[in-house]
Amino acid sequence: MTTQTWKEELEGIIDDALEREIEIFETQIALRRIGKVEEKLFAETRLRRGVYGQRYDNGLRHDGQALQELGYEPHETKGPNTVWDAPGMQRIKIPYGGMTGAQLETVAEIAEEYADGILHVTTRQDLQLHYVHLEDTPDIMRRLGAMGITTREACGNVVRNVTGCHLAGVCKTESFDITPYARALSSFLLGHPDAQDFGRKFKISFSGCATEACGLATMHDLGFIAKIENGVRGFEVWAGGGLGAVPHQAQVLYDFVPETELLPISQAVCRVFARLGEKKNRARARLKFLVQKIGIDELRNLADEERKVMPHDDRWAAFLADVDEPIVAEPPLVRIGRKDESSAWRRTNVYEQRQPGRFVVTIALPLGDLSSAQARVVGDLARRYAHDRLRLSVEQNVVLREVVEEDLVALHRELDRAQLAAPYAGTIVDITACPGTETCKLGISSSRGLARELSTQLAAKKYEEREAVRDLRIKISGCFNSCGQHHVADIGFYGVSRKKYGHAVPHFQVVVGGRWKSNAGSFGLATLPVPSKRIPEVVEKLTALYTEEREDESEGFVDWVGRVGKARIREELLEFADVPPPDVAPAAYSDWGDARTYSLDDHGTGECAGEVVPIAEFGLQNAEREVFEAQLDLESGRVTSAADKAYRSMLTAAATLVKTEFLDLPEDPDRIVEEFRTRFYDTQKFFDPFAKGKFANYLFRAHAESARAHPQGARQRVEEAQLFIEAAYAAYERSARRTAG
Amino acid sequence: MTAFDLFDITEPGEDLSVGPLGSPRVSVRFPVQTPPIDTLIPTLQQVVAERSIEGELLVDAATYSHVPDGPGVLLVGASAHYGITAGDAPVLYRAQKRPWPIAPLDRIRESIRRTKQLAEILSAAHEDFAIDGEHVDIAILDRLRAPNTLRTLGLVAPALTAIFGGAEVTPVGGPGDPFAVRVRRV
């Protein structure tokens, strides 16, 4: 008999807690479908499961002539201005980019069945699948969950994917391997109550050293740089960094935090951010603005104070027992091969590890894209050549590590057969780009279209072989939000639009002088906007000028920019800024890779941060979901379960209210009821104007009694729970009104 | 004879909804001759704008021409995608992604009809675009209902042979690929 659902198929394989999470999400989808969850709240709920909107999901698309309705049923929505049936994006968190071959193969299958057959590697080591339908996402999550992958908190105002150097553990310049620390912090903060009530997203990164780029620690909300002091492992901690429209370089929060304090200090910073971070104005809600407002010293003081009062958590140190585990347990592989020193691929795509005779092989992915068929090849190669491990890099590539020298030729041959041996990893041809207008609701110009064109042109002219410029980084964002990390590129671009002759023309701001090395050591500055179609000429001119004018080989591009000055560079690029009229140069009025006349009329509203939904609203929604499940149990005759779930829904609602005053409320039901009685019943805050304390008594009685298993008692409890939750909502709203003024 | 000659579909005389062909995620693929696939994008944009494929809610045209062995250029739909791949053996395909509340046989029939409609549009706009082959590949993008196994082949092949009037049905693709067969008129 064929299994009919993935839920049945994966029963016993997927972790029970994770399956329960996915069931809850399925219920939330069902509740939204019948209008029982408000769309703003549902949007943030799905975002926290990595289910993101995509361009045209408002049902509108400009066809080059006029704005067109695509024909969706407009009344059903999955968020504000987001049509239910419109395909969207599924983001998959891959902490520090680390995966097994089998995990990659599973994502490949999912991409093939539910998406468009492409796995997209992001600049934060996530994987993204596009054109996915919301109702397929629970099964996607199950299949990923069965392989130990979660999409939880991949989007939304939460701790996003924790990134880390893709060379961790094998790098010649690292202090030590940050992998177990990144893994531990990622796992610790996933779903942590202290990291649920942010006004905006929170990004964390780990770097093994201060000099290289890979960790990009200084452009994150929290960046950790590995450091050893007096023989003790720890981290230099940077805080308040971020790109976006207003880039901020992080500042040193602590010169040194020992490894034992990594988790508690991070938790303390999260608590401070949740408490004091901006909640109303999204544009100023990142940690960088809090640091700007109160100063790095005050953030440190507050974190230290918070650290002193936080309840102890055994997990803070438990992971340290595994830190010294070797990355690769198996003995080295031994195969017959030969050196191929002349290979361009070997020069650009192969890095010799600090472990003698071992190599890291980078697979350069054009625009970070990998087809399902290629992903299966990479998974297989990882298994055969790299101890079944691979990593995604922030430059949107895949790396295989621990490859023995004797295998390099054979591995190259197999990669070449799968057309995965492009010899330009980490060079000027290896361009980073965010999704831009192709799929992002916020995209202004086609970052991928430009990257595709530039990469083709630069490769054709063998730029990756030109000594002066081959190591330059080009990074492109479709808008000012910086997902393409243009601020830290030697030459960066971000999409803007300009009106010319009454028509919109796609442009890119030219940003020069960012420093990729030293963990994104400095940010570049915008010089001037140039029409998209003339950007290749900009790159050609900038690289030619630099090659001609650099003082010697030691003067890097960023140093040259600093020496000649922004005004001079702007002057040099002015010749590209003009746009001829549409009848003279019609191509200027469309974007790269898009035949339509350019328009921003179908520009959507971003979900980058999601809506700011107070954590209490999630708690109350959970209570509603639980009582809904109790009703379903009742209908199915599962009366004991119904009564129990109804009681638990009241507990959830009560705990939610208590946590608005007392964040560290333990999960213990006795304590929840006690605190609820003291804080909300005795003070009459929970009292209904007419029913007074009646609804609270439903909870007190249910808590005092054992579950009533007979149908009538269970039905009554379910009804009481519904009323209790309504009263909890009312009490919460009264409290919110009082707080507002 | 071209692949379109296979379009005369007959009732198989058995209930297809309980087996692998009961999955809505059916994909049909036809070999084609094509110009460089990026040159098809303006036509695909036009197809979206003019809603040229009857019954299909179309969303956008996209290109993955930079990905070797990838999905090619795409016509993205709310329920199904169409694509034209590059490489040595280019194909025009349609892949159903969402539930489709019609009979399994009608899904195949309708998938082929809509794909043929797109092929005609592309042929009309590009003189070097043509269906070029004598077979159609049918894949089931559903590893739950149609794992790529001999058992699935045993269930699917007789049904397709019957549907396509005694056509030859042979498996295609590697072990990691989705289940797919080639249907060729004998």
Side-chain angles (χ1 to χ4, degrees):
Chain A
M1 186 70 184
T2 310
T3 305
Q4 293 299 306
T5 68
W6 280 109
K7 185 177 173 179
E8 292 163 0
E9 177 76 8
L10 298 174
E11 191 178 353
I13 298 172
I14 187 168
D15 174 72
D16 286 346
L18 182 54
E19 173 54 33
R20 180 68 190 131
E21 274 180 25
I22 296 166
E23 281 174 2
I24 287 171
F25 183 54
E26 269 182 325
T27 307
Q28 288 162 333
I29 291 173
L31 285 170
R32 172 64 202 144
R33 200 95 210 243
I34 58 174
K36 285 216 155 204
V37 180
E38 194 263 323
E39 66 175 7
K40 188 177 90 169
L41 182 58
F42 181 72
E44 177 64 10
T45 299
R46 66 174 164 75
L47 285 168
R48 290 186 181 202
R49 309 257 18 141
V51 181
Y52 207 94
Q54 211 175 288
R55 205 168 182 92
Y56 313 129
D57 67 6
N58 58 359
L60 298 172
R61 178 179 183 274
H62 201 277
D63 66 8
Q65 306 297 319
L67 197 61
Q68 192 184 34
E69 282 194 16
L70 291 170
Y72 291 114
E73 167 57 59
H75 304 300
E76 283 190 285
T77 63
K78 53 187 173 183
N81 296 314
T82 310
V83 181
W84 186 268
D85 277 329
M89 181 264 278
Q90 176 70 63
R91 184 175 291 156
I92 302 166
K93 279 171 110 171
I94 308 294
Y96 57 88
M99 302 183 82
T100 65
Q103 286 176 327
L104 187 70
E105 286 161 353
T106 297
V107 182
E109 292 182 357
I110 290 168
E112 213 159 33
E113 293 178 39
Y114 305 103
D116 55 9
I118 287 288
L119 297 78
H120 176 70
V121 179
T122 76
T123 54
R124 297 206 71 258
Q125 295 173 311
D126 299 289
L127 283 171
Q128 284 182 185
L129 308 179
H130 291 97
Y131 307 113
V132 171
H133 198 280
L134 170 67
E135 286 170 315
D136 286 330
T137 57
D139 276 348
I140 292 174
M141 291 169 196
R142 283 194 176 92
R143 294 172 73 175
L144 293 170
M147 299 301 295
I149 300 174
T150 184
T151 66
R152 187 174 179 186
E153 297 175 4
C155 310
N157 298 322
V158 285
V159 177
R160 300 291 187 85
N161 195 35
V162 173
T163 58
C165 318
H166 58 279
L167 297 178
V170 301
C171 178
K172 288 179 216 165
T173 61
E174 69 183 1
S175 298
F176 54 84
D177 181 5
I178 54 85
T179 304
Y181 302 92
R183 186 192 301 130
L185 187 57
S186 177
S187 159
F188 177 68
L189 290 178
L190 182 70
H192 196 291
D194 290 343
Q196 301 300 306
D197 200 15
F198 297 160
R200 276 292 250 133
K201 58 191 168 186
F202 193 88
K203 295 178 176 176
I204 296 175
S205 168
F206 282 81
S207 182
C209 73
T211 52
E212 296 298 322
C214 328
L216 303 174
T218 70
M219 52 172 248
H220 281 78
D221 293 284
L222 265 186
F224 296 96
I225 298 176
K227 201 172 176 184
I228 296 176
E229 272 194 12
N230 302 319
V232 175
R233 282 182 171 195
F235 296 90
E236 185 174 86
V237 184
W238 292 66
L243 298 180
V246 188
H248 285 223
Q249 197 97 33
Q251 298 175 53
V252 176
L253 184 64
Y254 296 98
D255 288 326
F256 183 77
V257 164
E259 59 181 357
T260 48
E261 282 297 299
L262 170 68
L263 270 52
I265 280 295
S266 302
Q267 184 184 346
V269 173
C270 286
R271 286 167 74 106
V272 173
F273 180 50
R275 189 154 48 84
L276 299 179
E278 173 63 44
K279 299 278 170 57
K280 288 182 183 150
N281 181 1
R282 281 171 49 162
R284 298 192 63 82
R286 291 284 296 272
L287 181 68
K288 61 189 177 185
F289 294 107
L290 181 62
V291 172
Q292 186 182 39
K293 186 173 157 191
I294 66 175
I296 195 75
D297 294 333
E298 182 61 9
L299 178 64
R300 187 182 311 110
N301 292 338
L302 290 165
D304 289 344
E305 288 304 312
E306 202 66 53
R307 170 72 186 88
K308 286 178 200 160
V309 299
M310 281 173 0
H312 175 79
D313 190 326
D314 287 342
R315 292 176 296 171
W316 287 344
F319 77 98
L320 292 169
D322 301 327
V323 158
D324 285 331
E325 251 184 49
I327 310 163
V328 178
E330 304 95 313
L333 299 173
V334 179
R335 290 198 182 89
I336 296 167
R338 63 177 177 80
K339 285 189 178 179
D340 186 4
E341 300 292 358
S342 63
S343 162
W345 174 80
R346 177 146 180 164
R347 183 170 54 75
T348 54
N349 295 46
V350 179
Y351 168 87
E352 186 168 9
Q353 296 181 189
R354 73 160 187 268
Q355 294 87 353
R358 301 293 185 99
F359 294 84
V360 175
V361 170
T362 300
I363 303 168
L365 304 179
L367 309 185
D369 289 344
L370 184 69
S371 73
S372 287
Q374 288 178 322
R376 278 193 280 277
V377 172
V378 173
D380 178 53
L381 295 178
R383 202 173 290 116
R384 289 192 287 121
Y385 290 99
H387 300 278
D388 198 19
R389 294 284 188 279
L390 58 97
R391 294 210 186 189
L392 313 177
S393 77
V394 295
E395 295 202 89
Q396 302 180 293
N397 291 326
V398 173
V399 296
L400 302 176
R401 300 131 50 97
E402 300 287 340
V403 179
V404 295
E405 183 155 22
E406 291 77 7
D407 278 347
L408 285 173
V409 171
L411 176 56
H412 176 259
R413 196 179 302 128
E414 295 206 51
L415 286 170
D416 194 38
R417 201 176 298 138
Q419 301 183 72
L420 286 165
Y424 54 67
T427 73
I428 189 169
V429 178
D430 190 9
I431 296 170
T432 300
C434 72
T437 48
E438 288 189 8
T439 52
C440 176
K441 293 161 88 160
L442 292 174
I444 293 173
S445 303
S446 178
S447 43
R448 280 166 59 88
L450 175 60
R452 197 182 291 118
E453 182 65 27
L454 273 181
S455 190
T456 304
Q457 290 195 19
L458 297 178
K461 294 173 182 170
K462 301 278 182 199
Y463 267 61
E464 76 277 15
E465 293 177 7
R466 299 185 187 183
E467 181 274 324
V469 297
R470 71 181 176 213
D471 293 332
L472 300 189
R473 295 302 203 276
I474 296 178
K475 296 182 186 292
I476 309 172
S477 301
C479 74
F480 50 79
N481 282 305
S482 313
C483 298
Q485 302 177 341
H486 59 264
H487 292 290
V488 296
D490 294 289
I491 305 173
F493 302 103
Y494 69 91
V496 293
S497 172
R498 292 287 185 271
K499 274 268 191 228
K500 303 283 177 180
Y501 303 99
H503 300 274
V505 179
H507 279 62
F508 280 94
Q509 268 286 359
V510 182
V511 178
V512 290
R515 190 182 297 274
W516 177 243
K517 290 260 183 178
S518 304
N519 283 292
S522 63
F523 297 163
L525 292 166
T527 55
L528 84 166
V530 171
S532 300
K533 293 291 173 72
R534 303 206 70 182
I535 293 295
E537 295 169 82
V538 168
V539 173
E540 194 144 349
K541 181 151 191 185
L542 282 174
T543 51
L545 282 173
Y546 165 62
T547 305
E548 286 163 19
E549 295 184 3
R550 64 177 180 159
E551 287 184 329
D552 55 42
E553 286 183 10
S554 68
E555 186 178 44
F557 187 85
V558 63
D559 304 316
W560 170 75
V561 169
R563 181 166 61 78
V564 302
K566 190 179 154 192
R568 157 85 195 291
I569 289 176
R570 182 185 165 84
E571 187 71 24
E572 294 284 352
L573 299 183
L574 271 175
E575 65 172 304
F576 306 116
D578 283 343
V579 183
D583 54 333
V584 176
Y589 294 80
S590 62
D591 212 338
W592 290 109
D594 193 337
R596 293 173 296 169
T597 300
Y598 177 75
S599 169
L600 278 179
D601 287 356
D602 54 13
H603 196 238
T605 307
E607 294 186 327
C608 191
E611 298 284 348
V612 178
V613 179
I615 192 169
E617 292 187 24
F618 284 106
L620 293 173
Q621 187 208 353
N622 272 337
E624 266 208 292
R625 192 248 318 144
E626 284 170 333
V627 80
F628 178 73
E629 289 177 346
Q631 286 169 7
L632 296 180
D633 280 351
L634 205 57
E635 280 172 16
S636 309
R638 296 191 293 270
V639 291
T640 306
S641 174
D644 185 54
K645 281 180 179 160
Y647 161 59
R648 291 197 174 278
S649 73
M650 286 191 276
L651 269 184
T652 301
T656 299
L657 291 179
V658 172
K659 282 180 180 176
T660 61
E661 299 183 353
F662 174 38
L663 192 61
D664 290 323
L665 176 70
E667 295 295 310
D668 172 33
D670 289 339
R671 186 71 190 279
I672 292 169
V673 173
E674 180 194 326
E675 290 288 343
F676 173 75
R677 186 188 292 278
T678 308
R679 292 167 186 269
F680 283 86
Y681 185 79
D682 294 347
T683 59
Q684 302 193 1
K685 286 183 196 167
F686 191 76
F687 277 29
D688 178 85
F690 302 103
K692 303 298 178 192
K694 177 180 170 184
F695 302 133
N697 286 316
Y698 295 158
L699 170 66
F700 299 145
R701 195 167 60 239
H703 182 63
E705 292 174 357
S706 59
R708 281 176 283 184
H710 60 89
Q712 194 53 41
R715 176 171 297 281
Q716 184 181 333
R717 181 166 293 175
V718 170
E719 285 168 357
E720 288 177 354
Q722 190 72 59
L723 291 168
F724 181 89
I725 291 165
E726 295 301 335
Y729 266 112
Y732 170 68
E733 281 164 18
R734 284 196 298 274
S735 159
R737 276 201 300 275
R738 275 198 303 276
T739 308
Chain B
M1 184 186 297
T2 74
F4 291 136
D5 293 332
L6 295 164
F7 292 166
D8 291 334
I9 294 174
T10 56
E11 294 293 335
E14 61 176 297
D15 182 6
L16 299 180
S17 63
V18 294
L21 285 168
S23 171
R25 297 180 190 279
V26 170
S27 172
V28 296
R29 307 175 194 151
F30 295 98
V32 292
Q33 288 175 346
T34 178
I37 56 174
D38 275 335
T39 64
L40 304 176
I41 287 285
T43 310
L44 298 179
Q45 296 277 20
Q46 201 176 344
V47 169
V48 178
E50 296 175 0
R51 303 181 184 188
S52 309
I53 301 180
E54 187 192 332
E56 207 77 84
L57 196 163
L58 299 169
V59 178
D60 197 14
T63 180
Y64 289 109
S65 60
H66 54 279
V67 183
D69 204 12
V73 290
L74 285 183
L75 182 59
V76 178
S79 296
H81 303 330
Y82 297 77
I84 302 100
T85 64
D88 296 337
V91 297
L92 164 67
Y93 64 89
R94 180 188 187 280
Q96 178 71 23
K97 295 288 172 180
R98 300 290 304 139
W100 201 357
I102 57 176
L105 186 66
D106 291 333
R107 286 187 204 127
I108 295 173
R109 185 183 280 137
E110 191 61 12
S111 291
I112 291 173
R113 185 192 68 75
R114 294 181 187 190
T115 311
K116 181 183 176 186
Q117 199 178 346
L118 179 59
E120 286 167 352
I121 293 167
L122 291 167
S123 298
H126 304 267
E127 60 183 23
D128 39 0
F129 185 93
I131 292 282
D132 177 25
E134 296 181 348
H135 64 261
V136 55
D137 287 352
I138 295 181
I140 306 174
L141 307 176
D142 183 345
R143 288 173 172 84
L144 182 69
R145 296 188 69 168
N148 192 359
T149 60
L150 284 174
R151 183 172 182 275
T152 304
L153 181 66
L155 292 167
V156 168
L160 290 179
T161 300
I163 289 168
F164 288 102
E168 178 186 278
V169 177
T170 51
V172 288
D177 295 330
F179 174 81
V181 290
R182 178 154 299 166
V183 180
R184 187 191 301 272
R185 176 166 287 181
V186 180

